[in-house]
Amino acid sequence: MAWEEWEQLKAAAAERHAAAAASGMRLNQVAPEPGGGGTGVGPGDGFRVKHQSLDGSSHLLIELAGLLYQGRPDGELCTTARAPRSHPDVAEKVDRFARFADDQYQDLTSLLAALSTRLRDTKTNYVSYDGEVAGGLMNALLETGVYVPPEKR
């Protein structure tokens, strides 16, 4: 890449950044949908959640932990590298690596399980909150709504 081309790319990126800052664009912000009707995204909210996605992600984390369990080194590998069969330094290094790998495996599976649990809790909270919002909207409609016969419209 030539130096002039690099300078052009930098200038174009700076222009895009300035235009984005001038338009009020922010990262991680969902643009409000036109029409303002019942999308569940309030002004300034910026988040959309699909409950199935949260649930699927939590199951995926548990499946990943299971795959890690299947891929861990077996005990036979470490047994064949013990002192009578191999050099004592090699046996020590293999044993140290096996302990380290097991420790890392335990930490990672604990983390994946905790994240999975957190995602399931988050899904439950979103579902209950959405139910409360829907119930509140229905109650507000029933309490403040006025029936107007078709002939008087």
Side-chain angles (χ1 to χ4, degrees):
M1 179 182 296
W3 183 257
E4 294 82 23
E5 185 180 1
W6 172 252
E7 289 297 325
Q8 289 173 352
L9 290 172
K10 277 181 27 181
E15 288 175 14
R16 284 193 307 270
H17 180 70
S23 69
M25 185 176 92
R26 293 184 350 192
L27 289 177
N28 299 330
Q29 175 82 19
V30 175
E33 291 187 8
T39 61
V41 177
D45 190 2
F47 294 104
R48 291 184 185 202
V49 176
K50 293 183 179 178
H51 311 300
Q52 299 84 4
S53 175
L54 287 175
D55 202 27
S57 296
S58 68
H59 292 304
L60 191 64
L61 290 173
I62 295 298
E63 287 178 25
L64 182 59
L67 290 173
L68 287 171
Y69 178 78
Q70 293 173 355
R72 66 189 163 88
D74 60 342
E76 185 65 29
L77 175 68
C78 297
T79 304
T80 57
R82 293 272 164 114
R85 295 183 183 179
S86 66
H87 193 273
D89 289 340
V90 173
E92 178 191 348
K93 298 290 183 191
V94 168
D95 185 54
R96 195 169 89 190
F97 173 74
R99 290 178 193 281
F100 172 76
D102 185 57
D103 183 51
Q104 294 296 307
Y105 164 75
Q106 296 292 334
D107 289 346
L108 185 58
T109 53
S110 297
L111 177 67
L112 290 174
L115 287 173
S116 174
T117 302
R118 199 72 178 130
L119 278 174
R120 274 192 246 125
D121 291 345
T122 301
K123 181 198 82 144
T124 302
N125 291 341
Y126 271 112
V127 168
S128 66
Y129 180 75
D130 284 350
E132 290 171 10
V133 169
L137 289 174
M138 184 58 74
N139 287 339
L141 177 69
L142 293 174
E143 290 173 1
T144 61
V146 177
Y147 175 73
V148 177
E151 56 272 358
K152 292 189 178 183
R153 290 184 192 172

